[in-house]
Amino acid sequence: MVTLKQLAKELNVSVSTVSKALNNSEEIGKDTIKRVKELAELYNYKPNKVALSLKQSQTKTIGVIIPNILNHFMAKVLFGIEREAGLHGYNIITCISNESLNKEKESFQLLANGSVDGFILSVSKETQMENEVAHFKKALGQGFPIVMFDRVAHDVLCDKVIVDDFDSTYNATKYLIQEGRKNISFVTTIDGLSVGKLREQGYNKAILEEKQQKPLVLKIAKQEDLQEKIKEFLENNKTVDGVISADNASGVIAINTAASMGLNVPKDISVIGFSSNYISSHSIPKLTIIRQHAKEMGASAAQLLINRLQNRNIASDETTTKIIKTSFVKKGSTL
Amino acid sequence: MVTLKQLAKELNVSVSTVSKALNNSEEIGKDTIKRVKELAELYNYKPNKVALSLKQSQTKTIGVIIPNILNHFMAKVLFGIEREAGLHGYNIITCISNESLNKEKESFQLLANGSVDGFILSVSKETQMENEVAHFKKALGQGFPIVMFDRVAHDVLCDKVIVDDFDSTYNATKYLIQEGRKNISFVTTIDGLSVGKLREQGYNKAILEEKQQKPLVLKIAKQEDLQEKIKEFLENNKTVDGVISADNASGVIAINTAASMGLNVPKDISVIGFSSNYISSHSIPKLTIIRQHAKEMGASAAQLLINRLQNRNIASDETTTKIIKTSFVKKGSTL
DNA sequence: GTGAAAGCGCTAACAA
DNA sequence: TTGTTAGCGCTTTCAC
């Protein structure tokens, strides 16, 4: 890589002249600017990012800590973050916590040494279970802004981007009730997460308001067991005529299972899932979904962080919580 | 963030003494080391990453350029890269090219300014179509090592990690032939990619060797059309009794479609797909898959790059191409 | 209009 | 054993 020094030497001027010329300083003569720029172009000069970062005490880099990149929702949020960050000249360093508290802490250790200007993250499962927040507060105390999305730690004072989980399942359940469903169940693989609990509560409220059935909840611990457990459940609960799924996958699997049992979806049984357009087509009929607008969530998170980075005068206790409303997208699995 | 300077001042020693003490230099007295380390601990001192990078002319950061993070395979590779990189003390900066040549070029521009030590990437669709490789060669010429995975540019001299695409579909097709299938079709949504072509060629070879049918290929351009096109195809080709799918999604959709048409999978029709364990459970029966070991591919790519970064004496024309063999994982959609 | 010098935080050769 | 100095590449203040 070419440096200012080398350009300066070749042009027989000083380093500072070259620097100023490249930054279009008023101080420098027109023809000097021209000469400098031509040589810089020729050598494909680019200012060294590391030196700039050191000089300006900002890296223009965002640390992103994601619990699980194989989750389609998380991948989409990451996509949104990357895009929005890029538009503002920021890069992202991605760490995957793998749902582990320790890995999450390590990632902070690793990046809070000047590698990044701030953090965007979704809290790992283990962190939520153990309700540990010290590492977040420590980073905030060191002056690193944090934006949390989807799975947030409510008692940490920082910007947040969340979904209206409760309302979404409440409304979805109401929808099925209005379809005339009499025995609606709730299927979840994310029982341990705050968002999972909220979704269940929304379902519960709708069911309890109606008084025609009791809540009927199927909790599945492992992804691999989904097909088996759902099949077993539907066989043991023949009167189930509606399913609300809290996660990505169980909705499509419920549809396929019902179909394989000879049920007609949506005539005999309706299904609504917290899922994506992409996955919704993995069943016939396609799954009616609650869309979370993951890309927009990522973009909002990036905006909030960058805004805070660029307006250092925002008080740290003046935080924003942005709620991205879900959309109900009717496809084939509901009437 | 605390700096060496601040520690030095407080301890009434010089900056270099503090630096050496923290690095356990032999030169420094035991008790000085102790004093320094205690204060550093107290203040939670961490060496500034940016300053280190500048000093040592290496960032310990890898630039990863991925065409599409919403593709489950790519996400898994990224996971593997992140993990392996972390083990060696490297961070990753992720850029998403979105299958666009321009975005891919920009990402190089953006990172080849000292932000990263080298690149891991999978070539974007557009880049493959236009067969543009200048930006790769330029980066190599500037001294940035590159490792390509999955979709590689064959005429660029760099380390590569690929899959035995041709053999995989050749063998899978043979497998169906041995099952007694007489009319096996090939379904692809990745016709434009080198890997897609290789997979088709493997299928073609197996079919042509057998001489009992002609190749029967269904190419689908858009993800959203999958269900519709596959249904239409199966209805117009009632004698199809086997399907080889070249991509993530079309295998499970083929199974679900066949089932919805009243066919028995695998009795009436067998399906094998280039897909993941995760997606294989989105159909009943589960899809028999060709596993690509995406995480291992990511790990291998990271190893190759880091090895090159740490052994700067490896000749740049001495490149390694690692072939990660796929595994045939029999599930329910084959006999 | 141009250049010299300082400094961002760190390491390391050399001096004391 | 400890300190001084130079330098990584850049910007910026101040002097000429």
Side-chain angles (χ1 to χ4, degrees):
Chain A
M1 291 187 29
V2 196
T3 66
L4 286 187
K5 206 182 187 178
Q6 291 163 28
L7 294 181
K9 193 173 174 192
E10 189 141 343
L11 289 163
N12 271 317
V13 294
S14 76
V15 172
S16 49
T17 304
V18 180
S19 170
K20 287 170 186 164
L22 289 173
N23 292 312
N24 292 314
S25 165
E26 302 288 331
E27 301 176 11
I28 306 294
K30 291 255 182 220
D31 50 333
T32 315
I33 294 193
K34 189 153 169 281
R35 280 177 58 223
V36 171
K37 286 202 167 174
E38 277 173 6
L39 197 71
E41 178 80 7
L42 177 65
Y43 284 160
N44 192 26
Y45 168 81
K46 294 205 210 67
N48 181 302
K49 178 83 180 297
V50 174
L52 270 178
S53 297
L54 182 60
K55 181 75 193 167
Q56 310 183 330
S57 332
Q58 58 156 340
T59 58
K60 285 271 196 176
T61 303
I62 296 171
V64 180
I65 306 174
I66 291 220
N68 173 10
I69 198 169
L70 303 182
N71 177 318
H72 197 250
F73 167 73
M74 291 290 170
K76 261 178 124 162
V77 176
L78 185 59
F79 184 45
I81 295 173
E82 195 270 348
R83 200 165 175 287
E84 187 70 21
L87 293 176
H88 296 271
Y90 280 78
N91 284 131
I92 61 171
I93 291 188
T94 311
C95 290
I96 297 160
S97 69
N98 229 342
E99 307 288 10
S100 139
L101 168 58
N102 251 334
K103 184 96 205 293
E104 192 176 275
K105 281 186 184 168
E106 275 174 29
S107 302
F108 268 101
Q109 290 279 349
L110 229 65
L111 300 183
N113 62 354
S115 294
V116 302
D117 296 340
F119 292 91
I120 296 177
L121 65 93
S122 192
V123 177
S124 89
K125 199 176 202 162
E126 200 185 347
T127 309
Q128 281 206 334
M129 303 273 233
E130 309 207 353
N131 201 24
E132 170 87 35
V133 296
H135 52 308
F136 301 136
K137 294 192 169 167
K138 186 171 161 193
L140 285 168
Q142 288 177 66
F144 290 98
I146 296 179
V147 178
M148 296 185 180
F149 69 88
D150 195 48
R151 309 182 193 167
V152 302
H154 285 290
D155 35 350
V156 174
L157 203 63
C158 66
D159 293 336
K160 285 160 195 155
V161 180
I162 54 176
V163 162
D164 54 336
D165 293 287
F166 184 93
D167 291 348
S168 301
T169 42
Y170 175 81
N171 292 332
T173 309
K174 283 281 183 188
Y175 184 94
L176 290 193
I177 290 170
Q178 265 147 38
E179 265 189 352
R181 306 299 170 178
K182 301 292 179 207
N183 197 15
I184 302 161
S185 70
F186 182 81
V187 180
T188 180
T189 61
I190 54 172
D191 181 44
L193 301 176
S194 56
V195 293
K197 295 207 178 73
L198 284 170
R199 290 172 197 178
E200 187 178 339
Q201 287 161 16
Y203 158 82
N204 278 335
K205 180 165 182 234
I207 293 294
L208 294 175
E209 273 178 13
E210 211 61 28
K211 293 183 187 151
Q212 62 184 16
Q213 64 160 110
K214 286 191 186 147
L216 180 59
V217 175
L218 172 62
K219 296 181 178 177
I220 300 170
K222 284 184 295 181
Q223 195 77 36
E224 311 90 79
D225 297 342
L226 266 175
Q227 273 200 18
E228 192 188 339
K229 298 282 185 187
I230 288 178
K231 181 143 201 257
E232 192 183 302
F233 178 78
L234 289 181
E235 278 170 350
N236 293 337
N237 297 274
K238 294 274 186 195
T239 59
V240 165
D241 56 3
V243 172
I244 305 284
S245 146
D247 58 278
N248 257 324
S250 50
V252 294
I253 294 179
I255 295 174
N256 291 333
T257 304
S260 78
M261 290 168 64
L263 296 171
N264 179 308
V265 181
K267 207 163 139 277
D268 302 328
I269 181 169
S270 267
V271 184
I272 298 175
F274 246 95
S275 195
S276 66
N277 259 326
Y278 173 70
I279 291 188
S280 73
S281 75
H282 289 179
S283 64
I284 296 179
K286 289 182 182 167
L287 176 65
T288 291
I289 55 175
I290 297 166
R291 278 199 63 194
Q292 297 179 80
H293 304 288
K295 271 180 268 183
E296 288 81 353
M297 288 183 73
S300 290
Q303 277 164 15
L304 282 172
L305 186 69
I306 291 169
N307 183 41
R308 201 168 272 274
L309 289 171
Q310 298 187 337
N311 296 286
R312 279 291 184 177
N313 47 350
I314 303 178
S316 63
D317 59 350
E318 211 179 273
T319 64
T320 308
T321 293
K322 181 152 187 182
I323 297 171
I324 308 273
K325 294 238 181 221
T326 57
S327 307
F328 183 82
V329 185
K330 200 200 151 335
K331 305 214 171 181
S333 67
T334 47
L335 292 175
Chain B
M1 288 186 33
V2 195
T3 65
L4 285 188
K5 206 183 189 177
Q6 291 162 28
L7 293 182
K9 193 174 174 191
E10 188 142 342
L11 289 164
N12 272 316
V13 293
S14 78
V15 172
S16 54
T17 304
V18 180
S19 170
K20 287 171 187 163
L22 289 173
N23 291 314
N24 293 312
S25 165
E26 302 288 329
E27 300 177 11
I28 306 294
K30 291 255 182 220
D31 50 332
T32 316
I33 293 192
K34 189 151 168 280
R35 280 176 58 221
V36 171
K37 285 202 169 174
E38 277 171 6
L39 197 72
E41 178 79 8
L42 177 66
Y43 284 160
N44 191 28
Y45 168 81
K46 293 205 210 68
N48 182 302
K49 178 85 180 297
V50 174
L52 269 177
S53 296
L54 182 60
K55 180 74 193 169
Q56 310 184 329
S57 330
Q58 58 156 338
T59 58
K60 286 269 194 176
T61 302
I62 296 170
V64 180
I65 306 175
I66 292 223
N68 172 10
I69 198 169
L70 302 182
N71 178 319
H72 197 250
F73 167 73
M74 290 291 170
K76 262 178 124 161
V77 176
L78 184 59
F79 183 45
I81 295 173
E82 195 268 349
R83 199 164 176 285
E84 187 70 21
L87 293 175
H88 296 270
Y90 281 78
N91 284 131
I92 60 171
I93 290 187
T94 312
C95 290
I96 297 159
S97 70
N98 229 343
E99 307 289 9
S100 138
L101 168 59
N102 250 334
K103 183 97 205 291
E104 191 176 276
K105 281 186 185 168
E106 275 174 28
S107 301
F108 268 101
Q109 289 279 349
L110 230 63
L111 300 182
N113 60 356
S115 295
V116 302
D117 296 338
F119 292 91
I120 296 177
L121 65 93
S122 192
V123 178
S124 90
K125 198 175 203 164
E126 198 184 350
T127 309
Q128 281 206 335
M129 303 273 234
E130 308 206 354
N131 201 25
E132 171 86 36
V133 295
H135 52 307
F136 300 136
K137 295 193 170 168
K138 185 171 162 194
L140 285 168
Q142 287 177 67
F144 291 97
I146 296 179
V147 179
M148 297 184 179
F149 70 88
D150 194 51
R151 309 181 192 168
V152 301
H154 286 288
D155 36 351
V156 175
L157 204 64
C158 65
D159 293 335
K160 285 159 194 157
V161 180
I162 54 174
V163 161
D164 54 335
D165 293 287
F166 183 93
D167 290 349
S168 302
T169 42
Y170 175 81
N171 291 333
T173 309
K174 283 281 183 188
Y175 183 95
L176 291 191
I177 291 170
Q178 264 148 38
E179 265 189 352
R181 306 298 169 177
K182 302 293 179 205
N183 196 14
I184 302 162
S185 70
F186 182 82
V187 179
T188 180
T189 61
I190 53 171
D191 181 43
L193 301 176
S194 57
V195 293
K197 295 207 178 73
L198 284 170
R199 291 173 196 177
E200 185 178 342
Q201 287 162 14
Y203 157 84
N204 277 336
K205 180 166 181 235
I207 293 295
L208 294 175
E209 272 179 15
E210 211 60 25
K211 291 182 186 147
Q212 63 185 16
Q213 65 161 112
K214 286 193 187 145
L216 180 60
V217 176
L218 172 62
K219 296 181 179 176
I220 301 169
K222 283 184 292 180
Q223 196 76 34
E224 310 89 81
D225 296 342
L226 266 175
Q227 274 200 17
E228 192 187 341
K229 297 282 184 186
I230 288 179
K231 179 140 203 258
E232 190 183 302
F233 177 78
L234 289 180
E235 277 170 350
N236 293 338
N237 297 273
K238 294 272 186 196
T239 59
V240 165
D241 55 5
V243 173
I244 305 284
S245 145
D247 58 278
N248 258 324
S250 50
V252 294
I253 294 179
I255 294 175
N256 291 333
T257 305
S260 78
M261 290 168 64
L263 295 171
N264 179 307
V265 181
K267 208 162 140 275
D268 301 330
I269 181 169
S270 268
V271 183
I272 298 175
F274 246 96
S275 193
S276 66
N277 260 325
Y278 174 71
I279 291 188
S280 74
S281 74
H282 289 179
S283 64
I284 296 180
K286 289 182 183 166
L287 176 65
T288 290
I289 56 176
I290 298 167
R291 275 199 65 193
Q292 296 178 82
H293 304 287
K295 272 180 266 183
E296 289 80 351
M297 289 183 73
S300 290
Q303 277 164 16
L304 282 172
L305 185 69
I306 290 169
N307 183 42
R308 202 168 271 273
L309 290 171
Q310 300 187 336
N311 296 285
R312 280 290 183 180
N313 47 350
I314 303 176
S316 62
D317 59 350
E318 210 179 273
T319 64
T320 308
T321 293
K322 180 151 185 180
I323 298 172
I324 308 272
K325 293 237 181 220
T326 57
S327 308
F328 183 82
V329 184
K330 200 203 151 331
K331 306 213 170 183
S333 68
T334 48
L335 291 176

